Structures are given as C-alpha cells and as structure tokens.
Amino acid sequence: DSGVTQTPKHLITATGQRVTLRCSPRSGDLSVYWYQQSLDQGLQFLIHYYNGEERAKGNILERFSAQQFPDLHSELNLSSLELGDSALYFCASSVGQGSEAFFGQGTRLTVV
Amino acid sequence: GQNIDQPTEMTATEGAIVQINCTYQTSGFNGLFWYQQHAGEAPTFLSYNVLDGLEEKGRFSSFLSRSKGYSYLLLKELQMKDSASYLCAVRDPPTGTASKLTFGTGTRLQVTL
C-alpha cells in the first residue's frame, strides 16, 4: 500500500458525460501528479499540483481540468467524454521535488 | 522535451539475470527512476539514479551514464513474480516547485520456467 488513495476504482460512463476522479496523497506529501495510461501505452503526464497551486501541465486536453484543495487532496475532472478517454488514470504524490513519486491504485475509466 | 526509449518486450528464464536498457534524450535531467508495474496495477518504485554509476538494492540494480544518456535495470535470480512491465522515467530539472517524471512506454518482461 503506497498510502495514496484513489476513488473510485472503476467507473463506467457514457460518451458526453462528465466524471470526477479523486486522489488523497500520502500524509505529508505536497505534490500531486495525474497520469493517464491507455491500453498498451506509457504513462502520459497530465498535470502537477504543489500545495494547492498548478505547477506543470503536460498533454492534458482542454476538456480535462484538475484542482488541489487546502487539505491537499486533488480531483481530476473529465468532461464531454469520448471513447478514447477510456484509460487508467493514476495519481501520484511526493513530498516535493526531491524524492520518488508514490502511485495510487488508479481509476479505470471506461467510456461506452 | 524528453524522449525515452526502451525495448518493448523481453523474455528470460527463472533464476537467470536480465538487463533492461533505457536510453534518453532530454532537454534537461534531474534523475532517472525505474518503476515496476504489474498489469492493471499501480507502478511501484524500484530505484533512483542521479549520479553516474551503479545502485544496488537486493536482487535489483540500476546503472546510469549521464554522458551517454543511458541507464539499465539489472534483475538477478529472476522469479516468476518478476513478470511485469518495467518503466524508465526521467525527471525534469525543477522549476520552482515543479518537477515531473516523463515515462518511457515500458518493457514487458516475461519470466518463463
């Protein structure tokens, strides 16, 4: 158990819908990262938050947004969902910039 | 940006030694990580190199040459449970408090009897 908690574990929804994925980082970790992993694809970096502020953006679609709250948990919002958005979405946390990132178990999103 | 290359698949025999290579071309470098990922599960941290040389941790070792943009992960005394994907990731130099990992597509290792 990495200490990073993601909910829900599985999500099935229809095209055009909107979903919210939630992540609670390890106690004391200020950095939260979101990654997308499609079938047989590598982990694609989406966005990084540090202590409530957005710090870096990767290949994140405009239909996707995220935020980190004062209690340091983070949410990833995916809207106008398309079939191609079906993937595993991982959250990872780290103390800051100096150490390894610990991953949650992921949310498997299926868009039908 | 970062470009990371790893072999797609490898096969090795239980009890043997396997070396998984990773090459990278980056606009900046602040460390290289290896993660293990079983299918459908979270990546788990294996090793971290920021200086040249070999880091050993039990059955796993990782090597880095920054001048060559090259790393490898060495797995000894292979066990069936080592069948997994092995992900090489490069960390960008920090800009303020931002520092992300860029992952390669991973090497799928199959351990056979």
Side-chain angles (χ1 to χ4, degrees):
Chain A
D1 182 5
S2 67
V4 179
T5 304
Q6 287 187 250
T7 56
K9 286 189 171 51
H10 301 276
L11 196 51
I12 302 175
T13 190
T15 54
Q17 295 298 304
R18 181 179 190 276
V19 297
T20 297
L21 313 183
R22 183 188 168 98
C23 170
S24 294
R26 292 188 319 155
S27 177
D29 284 359
L30 300 178
S31 274
V32 169
Y33 307 84
W34 285 97
Y35 286 86
Q36 179 193 55
Q37 188 175 41
S38 302
L39 193 64
D40 293 333
Q41 298 271 324
L43 284 159
Q44 299 295 317
F45 169 71
L46 294 178
I47 199 163
H48 169 214
Y49 277 84
Y50 178 83
N51 203 21
E53 294 187 13
E54 180 186 306
R55 292 297 183 175
K57 255 185 177 178
N59 299 321
I60 186 166
L61 299 171
E62 285 191 13
R63 301 183 285 109
F64 296 1
S65 65
Q67 53 185 330
Q68 186 180 29
F69 294 87
D71 67 352
L72 301 177
H73 91 270
S74 178
E75 293 182 354
L76 179 67
N77 302 296
L78 315 176
S79 62
S80 302
L81 284 168
E82 302 175 359
L83 295 178
D85 297 327
S86 296
L88 265 169
Y89 290 85
F90 285 105
C91 164
S93 75
S94 66
V95 170
Q97 62 193 18
S99 60
E100 70 268 25
F102 293 86
F103 282 79
Q105 290 300 308
T107 294
R108 182 175 293 281
L109 173 66
T110 303
V111 182
V112 297
Chain B
Q2 315 282 27
N3 186 34
I4 300 170
D5 289 310
Q6 305 178 235
T8 306
E9 292 186 352
M10 298 182 71
T11 303
T13 306
E14 189 179 35
I17 299 173
V18 71
Q19 177 174 311
I20 302 174
N21 295 324
C22 170
T23 57
Y24 61 91
Q25 300 89 38
T26 64
S27 56
F29 179 85
N30 190 33
L32 188 143
F33 293 78
W34 284 95
Y35 281 81
Q36 180 192 60
Q37 186 180 25
H38 287 96
E41 297 184 10
T44 55
F45 169 76
L46 290 178
S47 70
Y48 168 62
N49 296 71
V50 67
L51 299 176
D52 291 350
L54 188 68
E55 293 283 340
E56 296 186 79
K57 192 186 285 189
R59 295 190 298 116
F60 294 0
S61 304
S62 57
F63 171 83
L64 175 67
S65 169
R66 290 171 295 170
S67 62
K68 295 181 180 176
Y70 168 69
S71 174
Y72 67 73
L73 180 70
L74 195 70
L75 292 76
K76 303 175 189 173
E77 301 168 18
L78 279 172
Q79 302 174 10
M80 298 299 290
K81 67 178 182 179
D82 297 329
S83 294
S85 287
Y86 291 85
L87 312 178
C88 172
V90 172
R91 185 166 64 193
D92 290 349
T95 52
T97 47
S99 183
K100 66 177 175 65
L101 292 178
T102 301
F103 284 83
T105 53
T107 299
R108 192 176 304 151
L109 174 66
Q110 179 77 33
V111 180
T112 60
L113 292 172

